[in-house]
Structures are given as structure tokens and as C-alpha cells.
Amino acid sequence: KAGVTQTPRYLIKTRGQQVTLSCSPISGHRSVSWYQQTPGQGLQFLFEYFSETQRNKGNFPGRFSGRQFSNSRSEMNVSTLELGDSALYLCASINNPGTGDGYTFGSGTRLTVV
Amino acid sequence: SQQGEEDPQALSIQEGENATMNCSYKTSINNLQWYRQNSGRGLVHLILIRSNEREKHSGRLRVTLDTSKKSSSLLITASRAADTASYFCATDARTGFQKLVFGTGTRLLVSP
């Protein structure tokens, strides 16, 4: 079966712009979560969606937002980009969190803000 | 920070040797998971150990968990050059919040 698909793979944006990243989970997986990875802060949880509802949000400013569609696909949006937003953004899906399964991650979107 | 700690930060070994990585975490957990990451790409799930388990094996991987010390270790036996990657532990907490808290990672280099 197809894995978690993230688009685009690479993105270069200018400070002040906004960006939208997309994630298609494994078919049948209802939970999608997003993580930011930077050399300085490591892997940090952004938010998690389950059946179109945001259930958890990490400690990020309101410029970071997301949503999930009825087909479980998810998007995250970052507005008013800052240089510090440059990172690898990873999406992960799982059928039902808490059941003891591992998460399946996508290959990530590498965002560079200049 | 909630982030767990891993040591060593970097490990360099020869093919055929064993590699051991350690992880410490801060909160009560449902389970602890180990992931591998190649060259800044996506994470690959390796193994999951539940809080009521002490040891688990999967192929060349052996994971231990000591909840009293809030620590875990990952042993890769008979390492291969293809094992070269970064390895992260991640905890799934008891709080009901569906998120993983990752450790700082160990960079493993296996030389032929």
C-alpha cells in the first residue's frame, strides 16, 4: 500500500510570505500529526488531527495552523514566515493512536525561508 | 523542555560490531518507540515497547525498557554499513495526548 505522501518535497519562500504544506496519509489512517525538525530544537510536535478535528497542539505560535479533510488528507499553513521557520516538516499517520502501533512518516517537506 | 536525551550523540563503529544507544525520558509513558532517519529524510519506525514490557527483539534489534529509571536502550547487533543513520527514541505519554516526544538522537556511522 502507498505510504504517507508529502508535497512539495522542497520549498523556498521569502520572509513574510505564507506557505501551505500537504500530507496524504496511508489509506484508512484517521490520525495525522505534524512535526518540525530543526538542528537546534530537534523534532517538535506541531499538531494532531483525528477525523477532521484538531485534538492536540504543540507549543508553536498562532502563525502555524492546520486542517484535515474528510478524506483524512491534511494541510498545514505557516503565515508571515520567519527565518527560524526554516526546517524539515514531517507528517505522520496512524490508524488509531494509543493502540500500540508505530507511526508512519512521510519523507518530509524541506522549507527554506530567505 | 520535554525532550528526551539520548547518548551517545554520535557513534562510529566497524561493520560486524554491535551498536548500543541509550535514551532517557521525563514522563510516564504508554510506550516507547525507536525510529531511524537517513540523511534528513522521513522517520522509519523500528520497534515499539510497551510500558509493561522489559525487553523486545526484532531481527537484529533488541530494545530494553526500565520505567523505574525512565530509560531505554537500543542494541543493533552485527551492524552493517546500511545501518548508518540517525536513531531517535520517542515516547507516547499516558496523558492521552496523541503525540510523540522525541529524544535528541544518536548519529550512527558504520564503516565497511
Side-chain angles (χ1 to χ4, degrees):
Chain A
K1 58 184 176 182
V4 177
T5 303
Q6 290 189 247
T7 56
R9 283 297 316 278
Y10 301 94
L11 208 46
I12 300 175
K13 289 286 189 179
T14 304
R15 271 182 302 175
Q17 288 187 314
Q18 75 162 16
V19 67
T20 299
L21 312 181
S22 179
C23 172
S24 293
I26 288 177
S27 178
H29 283 192
R30 295 178 292 171
S31 169
V32 174
S33 49
W34 290 86
Y35 293 82
Q36 181 197 64
Q37 186 177 26
T38 60
Q41 299 298 315
L43 282 151
Q44 303 274 319
F45 171 78
L46 279 159
F47 25 65
E48 187 251 355
Y49 288 88
F50 185 87
S51 295
E52 301 180 67
T53 300
Q54 184 185 89
R55 297 199 297 188
N56 294 296
K57 190 175 194 305
N59 189 23
F60 280 83
R63 301 185 295 107
F64 291 81
S65 63
R67 58 178 175 169
Q68 186 180 33
F69 302 95
S70 58
N71 62 357
S72 292
R73 190 177 71 84
S74 177
E75 289 181 347
M76 67 163 281
N77 184 278
V78 188
S79 62
T80 319
L81 284 165
E82 301 176 358
L83 295 178
D85 298 332
S86 294
L88 179 67
Y89 289 88
L90 293 163
C91 163
S93 79
I94 192 169
N95 182 27
N96 195 4
T99 56
D101 296 328
Y103 289 74
T104 302
F105 281 80
S107 296
T109 293
R110 185 164 294 281
L111 172 66
T112 302
V113 182
V114 297
Chain B
S1 166
Q2 290 182 293
Q3 200 168 34
E5 298 284 331
E6 289 184 59
D7 79 273
Q9 286 189 321
L11 181 59
S12 184
I13 60 174
Q14 301 289 316
E15 268 191 329
E17 294 181 337
N18 295 342
T20 300
M21 296 159 236
N22 302 295
C23 164
S24 61
Y25 57 91
K26 299 179 181 180
T27 64
S28 296
I29 61 171
N30 272 329
N31 62 67
L32 185 144
Q33 306 173 30
W34 286 89
Y35 289 83
R36 184 186 74 225
Q37 185 177 40
N38 290 87
S39 301
R41 296 181 64 94
L43 297 161
V44 175
H45 179 255
L46 295 175
I47 193 167
L48 179 151
I49 186 166
R50 301 176 197 275
S51 60
N52 61 353
E53 297 176 310
R54 291 297 167 258
E55 187 171 314
K56 199 163 183 179
H57 297 254
S58 177
R60 294 184 296 113
L61 306 179
R62 172 179 169 256
V63 171
T64 62
L65 178 65
D66 187 335
T67 52
S68 67
K69 295 181 179 178
K70 291 188 169 57
S71 67
S72 174
S73 67
L74 171 68
L75 168 66
I76 304 174
T77 60
S79 296
R80 306 165 181 167
D83 294 328
T84 294
S86 291
Y87 291 81
F88 295 89
C89 66
T91 53
D92 198 348
R94 285 186 181 278
T95 62
F97 291 115
Q98 307 305 337
K99 68 176 186 180
L100 296 176
V101 176
F102 283 89
T104 48
T106 293
R107 284 181 290 112
L108 174 65
L109 173 64
V110 183
S111 302

